[in-house]
Amino acid sequence: MAFLRTIIICLVAAVLTVAINLMGAGFTNPIEFSYEVKAKYSTDTRVYSLGDGRKEYNERFSSGYLISSSEDFEKVTIPLNNTNRLGQLKFELDDSHDSEVCFKGFTISGRTGTHELVTERFAFEGIEPVENTPEELCFNIKKNDFEASHEKPYFLTGDVVEQTSVETFNKWQVLYFIAVACLISLAWELMVALFERRYRRARITDYASFLIFVAIVEFVSLFALNEVMRAYVLHNSNLMLLIGGVLVARVLVTFFRTIVNHKYACFSLLLLVLMMLVRYCVFRNNVGIVYRSEFMGYLHIVKQDFPFDMAIVLLFATAIFVQTRALKITFTSVAAVSGFLMFLDYIMNTEKSDRLIFSRIGLDTFSYHNLREVPNAINHYMSTGQGVLTAAVITTVICICAFIFCNNRLKFTWVKFCSFVVLLAMSVGVYFVNIGTESVFNNKFYNMVDVNRGIENLDFSRISVSSSNEVITERKGLGYNCNVVLLVVESLSSFSSKLYEEKLDLTPNLDRIASNNIWFKNSYSSGYDSDVANYALLTMRPFLHNGSDVADPALYKSTLPRDFKKAGYKTIVMYSSKPTDAERTQFDKGGFDNLFDYMHPNYPDTAPRYDHGALDDKVLLQEAAKNIRFWSNNKYSKDKFFVEILTSSGAAPYVVPVEKRLDPTKVEYDFATVTKFTDEAIGEFVEELEKMNFFNNGILVIVGNHRAPLTLSKREYDLYGQLGITRVPLIVVDKHQKSRMYENDISSISVGEMIEYLALNRYQSSSMRVNPFVEDENEVIIYQQLSPRNTILLKNGDTYGEFAITGNKSHISGNLRNKDVIFTDILAMLSHRNKGKASSDTSLDRIDDDAAPERARVEVPAEQPNAEEIQAPAEEIQTVVQEEQDVSVSSDSAQVKEPEEAHQEIQQPETVDADAEARAALLKAHQEKLKQIKEEAARAKAEAAAAKERAEKLKADAEAARKKAEEAKAHAEQMKNGN
């Protein structure tokens, strides 16, 4: 009888599956949107579909495509996944740079066949078609500022009525058939149970707990399945969710009796899974950034907190089995409070969002005026998947508490105790298992949370002010007076180099360059991110968090570019991505004459842009090589130059450049590929410098700004300890020096002193820095971690230590050599709030910052030939400013005399008055001259604007004349054909 029933159910399920599929409600092929396109420059596009009752465009129902630069039309076909009934399309275009794009042949393919869309029915927003013909639709896209928040230009198709086509055979049809069969069998068993009254065999409480369990398990299963399908953008996702839900329900009903009899264990296991999913929801927006892949990032989250989750579950389970009421209350309270603290930890240390309900409802919400907003916030949160998941956690905990405090005959035995101990030990063991995850931060995922606690909770006012032992002396340099290029490579790490670590071989070009020149085996970065690392390179001092801000302009009064500027060098900075606030301060206030920023017009418009408007390293270094050739041979200026170049391709999350992707239309993330790409770019850059004979009178310094923010490997930790997270390559290409390898410990703060020693006649030497070219000593390595920031890692030769920041109880632990001297130096840096080098700032430096807050664009090959004439007024202004400063200094110095000189001045008042009058007359003449120069500059600017306006008018007249000529030509052709 059972066999016959099974055959009948299978036959009915097969018939229903075929019928539903033929009606279009089963598996279908997606609607396809096709067009032909050509573009002058590569352009990102995104197509949004509207249908199935949706009233707004959603990124989930969209597909991106990168249009490559081409003179010929290429055909593009985009599947519109998960849209069964199409109503309209939105075609969005990227406006991060100028571009010219032409389309033709818009078609839609679906159940009713292939249809061509009529472009006359399109609506445009932010763009207008040019030279529109029935065959082609062309646009001129104008670049929009990256800082402006705006909606990208787009066009809308007219109303479209199309449906997905039926897929006759799909490999997932088997699952569909099984789901239909399960649904029929469930209905059959339910009717039999009602007819035979089998439902009386269990208690109402058992049915209630089972239904709650089924509801939560169904949600968890569908939530996880939905996340997978969203990640892979699968078609027919709604149908797959329906199939998954039916199969899960069938399995749970099959094990009804087992679940009811072991509901305590089932709900405990469910709580463990829910806590893992809660943690995933909290960090889901960051896990793709923090880790190289979202899946490995989630595994790392689970691994890190699995012992904590297991401990809470075991506390609840213990409370179920113990019979003493006091122990039940104790275990339950500890478990509940621990879980609540976990939620509170996330609430307090993540940015406000919809992740957790209390992140939306701050403490200020519970005032009299804001109390009415609480229901709205709760309703908004509960409408999201995270909200339902939070409710599921609370419901599960309530059910477990009901099991605990209701009468049950379960007893706690030594077998259960031993099993609990084994489970807890295994969960703790999971914490130490290496699953190959690579996080952006040091070793712990919680650094993302810890960093927000950070240094702000430490009271630096309780640190006693201390004087430094630092000694600054002026020394004689080699004085090559050569051009200097400082190449700062993003996330360049020693572990990527076979030459440095003998493990990976991701930088063969860098290894070749290093082995043929000067390289430093034990080089350390002084910063954990680009802002702090560049601060150390520019100021030649480590940045220690003590309440100060690395973006504070006061910290950049004494810098490496300023030293070169005083020596007569032109100072330039080149970078290829949108700078942070700190980087803007470093570029504007760091002593650079000129900026070659990431939006400079000399960068090719065809080059693809990445996050923060970034260009890849090959584009940056190719342009840098062209500019260096121009600056080296510039007939308008005989000045030497110092240029700092900052790359950006190596930044996390390691977006693979388009030319290295397997599929150019999809974004890929891979650290190894990005590192190899940067290595190739540097190799080509050095070859270009060699071709132009740059090294005959030039120096190139290559240094990593900081180690790639990936997990420290066991091998690195065994060799270098925790300071392994700071190791970066440092290479000097100087043909005046012999090739060799230095083993001195050296950090970023000493790079500038080495460069000044090689290039300048005189330079400032600090006892906190080391110049391996002069002295065979090790630098004291000072590194403050991202988190916890109250610990500073120290290294002095083969001795190590940690400086713990605890107010007046701060101390250094470990076997560090010269502990007292180093302790005093660090206290001085913390108490003096990173004020910079212990040297007085000249008035000229202050005038530079106040008089010229905006830096000029750097001189490049595309400049006009009369650049000398354009720059002359600026140089004359600088001369006048310098003369004014000299007069001011002379006037000030005249008031500070030795007693004997002052006595002589008293005896000769007429001479003093004459000198004062002469100075006043000279100052007045200089002021008049400066005023005239400013007026001439204003007139020149006005004339240039007028010339530009005339040129635009002439261009418009020429365009009008061209159109008239074309019309005349067409009329002549028409007359000719008529005759």
Side-chain angles (χ1 to χ4, degrees), residues 352-418:
K352 286 190 174 183
S353 66
D354 294 340
R355 297 173 183 174
L356 293 175
I357 187 169
F358 297 109
S359 296
R360 244 184 107 75
I361 307 175
L363 294 178
D364 57 338
T365 308
F366 293 94
S367 63
Y368 174 77
H369 298 288
N370 296 328
L371 196 58
R372 62 180 178 271
E373 298 296 330
V374 174
N376 294 333
I378 294 176
N379 180 63
H380 174 83
Y381 181 74
M382 296 307 296
S383 63
T384 64
Q386 295 93 320
V388 179
L389 195 61
T390 305
V393 173
I394 296 173
T395 304
T396 305
V397 171
I398 292 174
C399 290
I400 293 176
C401 290
F403 302 153
I404 292 172
F405 294 103
C406 291
N407 294 326
N408 62 73
R409 300 178 181 178
L410 298 174
K411 293 183 179 181
F412 194 72
T413 63
W414 283 106
V415 176
K416 292 186 176 67
F417 175 78
C418 293

Side-chain angles (χ1 to χ4, degrees), residues 593-657:
D593 294 312
N594 299 296
L595 305 183
F596 197 105
D597 63 28
Y598 75 114
M599 294 302 294
H600 197 283
N602 274 41
Y603 285 126
D605 293 331
T606 55
R609 295 273 182 174
Y610 303 93
D611 291 345
H612 308 292
L615 295 159
D616 65 51
D617 290 349
K618 284 192 177 180
V619 174
L620 169 68
L621 295 180
Q622 286 169 3
E623 189 62 32
K626 294 178 184 177
N627 294 335
I628 290 172
R629 181 187 296 275
F630 176 74
W631 298 328
S632 301
N633 303 321
N634 190 355
K635 63 181 181 181
Y636 301 111
S637 173
K638 300 301 181 182
D639 295 329
K640 298 297 180 182
F641 61 82
F642 168 87
V643 56
E644 181 185 18
I645 306 172
L646 297 98
T647 71
S648 58
S649 289
Y654 316 113
V655 179
V656 177

